[in-house]
């Protein structure tokens, strides 16, 4: 009885999450198994060890519109009608979108930060005018995005010089370039 109650609650969770989301929802079987195991323990089930493959079979039986897909070591579950839009979104999400999103995030942080950079590279100005998210981005570009490169290369003089120059040349509003 406890297992059926927890399973019914898990099925309801999947339906409600999918229904209340404006985007496609992908569930990791491991996460669902953890929820199920925690709920069984909470209900007083003494041996709440959950076999995820058996749980997947039960979920697929209860929810015929649910599909399971393997991605490496993960089993991903999603509602059949969401698969097409999810694939289309993944294909449209290219590098240009990532760059635009990154630039927008940095620009938002620059817009809220007051700087004292006067245009000259005096050490006092540099330390006061550093925007840390921008410094992190410069370090990722200059030294590489992997953790080893970041550990080996603390903030260099070139990093510390580039950040204030970028801030000094930052325009909060897009400027129109005159057409000749």
């Amino acid at each position: 009885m406890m297992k059926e109650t927890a399973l019914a609650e898990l099925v309801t969770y999947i339906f409600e999450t999918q229904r209340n989301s404006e985007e496609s929802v992908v569930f990791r079987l491991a996460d669902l198994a953890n929820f199920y195991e925690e709920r069984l323990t909470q209900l007083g089930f003494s041996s709440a060890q959950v076999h995820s493959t058996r749980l997947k079979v039960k979920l697929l039986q209860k929810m015929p519109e649910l599909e399971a897909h393997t991605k490496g070591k993960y089993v991903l579950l999603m509602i059949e009608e969401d698969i097409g839009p999810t694939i289309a979104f993944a294909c449209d999400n290219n590098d240009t979108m990532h760059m635009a999103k990154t630039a927008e995030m940095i620009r938002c942080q620059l817009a809220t930060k007051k700087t004292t950079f006067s245009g000259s590279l005096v050490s006092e100005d540099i330390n006061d005018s550093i925007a840390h998210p921008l410094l992190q981005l410069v370090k990722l570009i200059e030294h590489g995005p992997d953790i080893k490169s970041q550990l080996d290369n603390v903030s260099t003089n070139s990093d510390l010089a580039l950040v204030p120059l970028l801030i000094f040349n930052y325009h909060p509003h897009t400027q129109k370039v005159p057409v000749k």
Side-chain angles (χ1 to χ4, degrees), residues 37-172:
E37 187 175 313
E38 286 177 30
R39 184 62 178 140
L40 285 174
T41 302
Q42 191 178 45
L43 290 171
F45 195 72
S46 58
S47 59
Q49 189 102 22
V50 174
H51 190 276
S52 59
T53 303
R54 289 187 193 122
L55 177 62
K56 177 183 78 170
V57 169
K58 287 179 185 178
L59 287 171
L60 294 174
Q61 287 172 346
K62 297 276 185 194
M63 303 174 66
E65 65 278 5
L66 195 66
E67 289 189 4
H69 300 274
T70 303
K71 174 68 176 148
K73 66 178 183 175
Y74 298 109
V75 175
L76 306 175
L77 300 168
M78 63 186 312
I79 305 294
E80 182 181 10
E81 69 186 37
D82 289 343
I83 292 173
T86 300
I87 292 171
F89 176 76
C91 292
D92 288 343
N93 203 357
N94 59 24
D95 290 344
T96 306
M97 293 302 294
H98 292 296
M99 288 188 295
K101 181 100 172 142
T102 302
E104 184 59 29
M105 289 181 340
I106 298 294
R107 288 180 60 79
C108 285
Q109 292 184 6
L110 289 177
T112 60
K113 178 159 176 58
K114 304 291 183 225
T115 65
T116 59
F117 183 61
S118 62
S120 64
L121 294 173
V122 180
S123 62
E124 297 82 34
D125 285 343
I126 291 174
N127 290 329
D128 291 340
S129 65
I130 287 178
H132 292 285
L134 182 56
L135 176 61
Q136 186 61 37
L137 179 63
V138 167
K139 287 173 55 178
L140 290 170
I141 292 169
E142 189 170 359
H143 306 294
D146 63 284
I147 193 167
K148 180 84 169 94
S149 297
Q150 293 303 311
L151 287 171
D152 292 344
N153 297 292
V154 294
S155 296
T156 62
N157 287 340
S158 61
D159 300 332
L160 295 172
L162 281 171
V163 171
L165 288 172
L166 288 168
I167 292 171
F168 184 71
N169 289 304
Y170 160 75
H171 302 286

